[in-house]
């Protein structure tokens, strides 16, 4: 312990205390509540993929340091997946990098591509690691707020003029996330085209977090930003096995980008973990080659869960922004006579035995996020049914 008055945590990270997830998960435990706060499934992914990991471990594949860029089998599988689904071709040797989950991919990309003082435009509300990683890299975050609209269906939308106005001479990159956590918005072809046009016009780099690429519902379609004209050479695309295959603890993610960008990201990544998740990389290589029926069944299952929770929340009195993607549903608590998401979420375990997350934690403009609350629906059907039952207490 130092005797100086200087705080131990450096100034860049001082604003990022303990995450709300820790507080809410502790509350869930102490009150016996159903935890719909943090986004992780309560059942494991496909049995054959779990077995593939066991086999790799038993056969001594990946128990020692795997190659820095990731095992060739996984890099090849990522490239084949992108070709099969999107017609995008990446060279597994020079354009794919395996990371310790999407979290490391985000950190390494920002640490690699930013100089201190560079501005990063991010869509607010944003996944909490973005702000911390921009800060660690010495960058300055410039939020562009997604705002609720109530057209045919309630949806959070990007204001393209606001995005355009946020770009300055100091803007280095756009940090995009689609399908979007926490709002459930899937950016449309028009929105993505406008982002792409702006990036090309202002010569910006783009980091796009597409970890929910397989979780899109109804007639929504996930379109990779890298597939738009002029984008392939300036876009770092981030993916993860955690969400698509329901193995969030394995921490296998990846970056796909042009060779120069991959080399830059790898330069930072090698000093973060160097490598991770050896045996799991073999299993994820098999998972990415699963037939289309796996992906369709996964999506249908999650869509049914979305419908169950979304209608339960509406019956309980929330305004529901029916998500087109991800496994989160954002609600507005004002129809319940509430305005402060923090206070509401702190009281909800006592009132209804359910834990949710106040969206304000994902905002710089806290007031813009104040009345919104996020629930995760990646849980067993009986858990969601029980949660819906409990939430009915709010309507009484
Ligand atoms: C938008 C987004 N990006 C990245 C991650 C982290 O992914 P991983 O577990 O692969 O590090 C999450 C997890 O919740 C997320 O929601």
């Amino acid at each position: 312990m130092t005797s100086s008055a200087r705080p131990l945590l450096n100034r860049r990270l001082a604003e990022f205390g303990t995450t709300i997830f820790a507080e809410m998960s502790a509350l869930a435990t102490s009150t016996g509540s159903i935890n719909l706060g943090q986004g992780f499934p309560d059942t494991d992914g496909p049995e054959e993929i779990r077995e593939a990991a066991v086999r790799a471990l038993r056969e001594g594949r990946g128990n020692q340091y795997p190659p820095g860029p990731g095992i060739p089998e996984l890099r090849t599988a990522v490239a084949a997946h992108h070709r099969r689904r999107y017609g995008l071709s990446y060279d597994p040797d020079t354009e794919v990098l395996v990371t310790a989950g999407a979290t490391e991919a985000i950190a390494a990309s920002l640490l690699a591509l930013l100089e201190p003082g560079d501005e990063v435009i991010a869509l607010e509300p944003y996944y909490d690691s973005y702000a911390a990683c921009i800060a660690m890299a010495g960058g300055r975050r410039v939020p562009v707020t997604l705002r609720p609209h109530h057209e045919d269906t309630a949806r959070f939308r990007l204001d393209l003029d606001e995005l355009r106005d946020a770009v300055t001479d100091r803007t280095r990159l756009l940090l995009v996330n689609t399908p979007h956590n926490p709002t459930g918005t899937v950016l449309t072809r028009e929105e993505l085209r406008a982002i792409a046009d702006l990036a090309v016009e202002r010569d910006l780099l783009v980091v796009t977090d597409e970890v929910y690429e397989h979780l899109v519902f109804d007639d929504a379609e996930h379109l990779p930003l890298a597939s738009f004209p002029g984008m392939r050479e300036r876009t770092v695309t981030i993916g993860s096995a955690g969400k698509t295959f329901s193995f969030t603890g394995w921490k296998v993610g990846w970056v796909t980008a042009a060779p120069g960008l991959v080399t830059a990201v790898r330069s930072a990544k090698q000093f973060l973990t160097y490598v991770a998740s050896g045996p799991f990389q073999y299993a994820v290589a098999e998972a990415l080659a699963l037939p289309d029926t796996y992906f369709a069944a996964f999506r249908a299952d999650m869509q049914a869960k979305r419908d169950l929770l979304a209608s339960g929340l509406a019956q309980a009195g929330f305004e529901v922004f029916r998500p087109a993607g991800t496994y989160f549903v954002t609600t507005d608590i004002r129809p319940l006579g509430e305005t402060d998401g923090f206070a509401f979420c702190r009281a909800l375990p006592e009132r209804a035995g359910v834990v949710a997350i106040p969206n304000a934690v994902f905002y710089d403009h806290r007031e813009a996020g104040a009345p919104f609350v996020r629930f995760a629906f990646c849980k067993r059907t009986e858990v969601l049914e029980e949660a819906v039952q409990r939430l009915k207490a709010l309507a009484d």
Side-chain angles (χ1 to χ4, degrees):
M1 194 57 197
T2 163
S3 59
S4 88
R6 187 175 142 179
L8 294 176
L9 184 61
N10 72 48
R11 230 178 303 146
R12 293 184 304 286
L13 291 179
E15 69 173 291
F16 308 104
T18 5
T19 78
I20 188 78
F21 299 104
E23 179 187 342
M24 290 300 163
S25 294
L27 206 51
T29 309
S30 65
T31 58
S33 294
I34 297 176
N35 191 351
L36 302 186
Q38 207 165 8
F40 62 89
D42 59 358
T43 43
D44 285 351
E47 184 56 30
E48 73 259 42
I49 301 306
R50 194 159 52 171
E51 281 307 312
V54 172
R55 229 181 317 116
L57 205 129
R58 286 228 173 89
E59 291 168 3
R61 288 179 291 133
N63 291 333
Q64 309 305 330
Y65 296 134
I71 61 165
E73 291 86 339
L74 179 52
R75 284 184 278 120
T76 302
V78 169
H81 168 271
H82 284 24
R83 199 173 322 108
R84 172 168 74 144
R85 282 204 82 80
Y86 309 120
L88 278 171
S89 86
Y90 285 99
D91 179 342
D93 290 331
T94 58
E95 298 187 311
V96 181
L97 173 67
V98 176
T99 56
T103 304
E104 188 192 34
I106 294 160
S109 300
L110 296 170
L111 288 167
L113 301 174
L114 296 179
E115 291 289 355
D118 281 344
E119 291 180 359
V120 177
I121 295 177
L123 309 184
E124 175 186 74
Y126 39 65
Y127 179 58
D128 56 352
S129 88
Y130 298 172
C133 290
I134 294 168
M136 285 194 271
R140 223 174 66 73
R141 61 183 187 274
V142 177
V144 170
T145 310
L146 299 180
R147 298 189 195 281
H149 283 257
H150 303 83
E151 299 124 356
D152 34 343
T153 53
R155 167 183 192 263
F156 280 75
R157 218 172 60 185
L158 174 63
D159 182 329
L160 296 168
D161 291 329
E162 225 174 290
L163 178 67
R164 190 164 276 281
D165 289 347
V167 178
T168 73
D169 292 344
R170 292 176 302 282
T171 308
R172 170 67 162 168
L173 68 81
L174 304 178
L175 178 50
V176 179
N177 171 216
T178 183
H180 183 262
N181 172 11
T183 63
T185 288
V186 176
L187 295 177
T188 63
R189 187 181 295 277
E190 290 66 37
E191 287 169 325
L192 291 165
R193 188 176 294 128
I195 293 172
D197 288 350
L198 182 62
V200 171
E201 182 190 318
R202 301 298 298 262
D203 195 20
L204 304 174
L205 296 173
V206 175
V207 173
T208 175
D209 177 344
E210 302 184 1
V211 300
Y212 297 103
E213 64 189 305
H214 288 284
L215 278 170
V216 287
F217 310 125
D218 307 321
D219 51 1
E221 188 186 6
H222 171 69
L223 300 167
L225 201 38
S227 65
F228 285 75
M231 293 305 280
R232 197 187 179 292
E233 61 270 28
R234 66 179 67 249
T235 302
V236 173
T237 304
I238 293 173
S240 171
K243 312 295 174 183
T244 301
F245 302 110
S246 301
F247 288 115
T248 56
W250 288 7
K251 296 300 284 189
V252 177
W254 48 83
V255 158
T256 46
L261 286 167
V262 163
T263 303
V265 176
R266 195 171 61 221
S267 300
K269 182 257 180 314
Q270 67 189 333
F271 299 117
L272 293 173
T273 57
Y274 177 49
V275 292
S277 314
F280 300 129
Q281 291 192 25
Y282 288 91
V284 171
E286 290 190 29
L288 283 166
L290 284 170
D292 289 346
T293 46
Y294 165 75
F295 297 95
F298 174 62
R299 188 168 153 155
D301 179 47
M302 284 296 178
Q303 183 166 317
K305 289 175 172 175
R306 175 203 62 170
D307 292 344
L308 171 59
L309 185 61
S311 55
L313 287 164
Q315 276 164 23
F318 294 84
E319 183 189 6
V320 174
F321 295 90
R322 196 178 181 75
T326 76
Y327 41 50
F328 301 108
V329 50
T330 280
T331 59
D332 189 332
I333 57 175
R334 282 174 292 192
L336 291 163
E338 303 271 349
T339 51
D340 177 354
F342 269 107
F344 179 80
C345 287
R346 289 198 171 109
L348 192 60
E350 281 300 334
R351 282 179 72 186
V354 172
V355 161
I357 297 291
N359 282 23
V361 298
F362 306 122
Y363 285 78
D364 276 312
H365 302 107
R366 293 258 159 148
E367 70 296 342
F372 304 118
V373 165
R374 187 193 84 174
F375 295 81
F377 55 83
C378 48
K379 307 293 175 188
R380 280 169 293 133
T381 301
E382 59 270 28
V383 173
L384 295 174
E385 280 167 349
E386 173 63 23
V388 164
Q389 208 49 38
R390 293 184 183 192
L391 287 164
K392 280 189 182 149
L394 298 175
D396 296 340

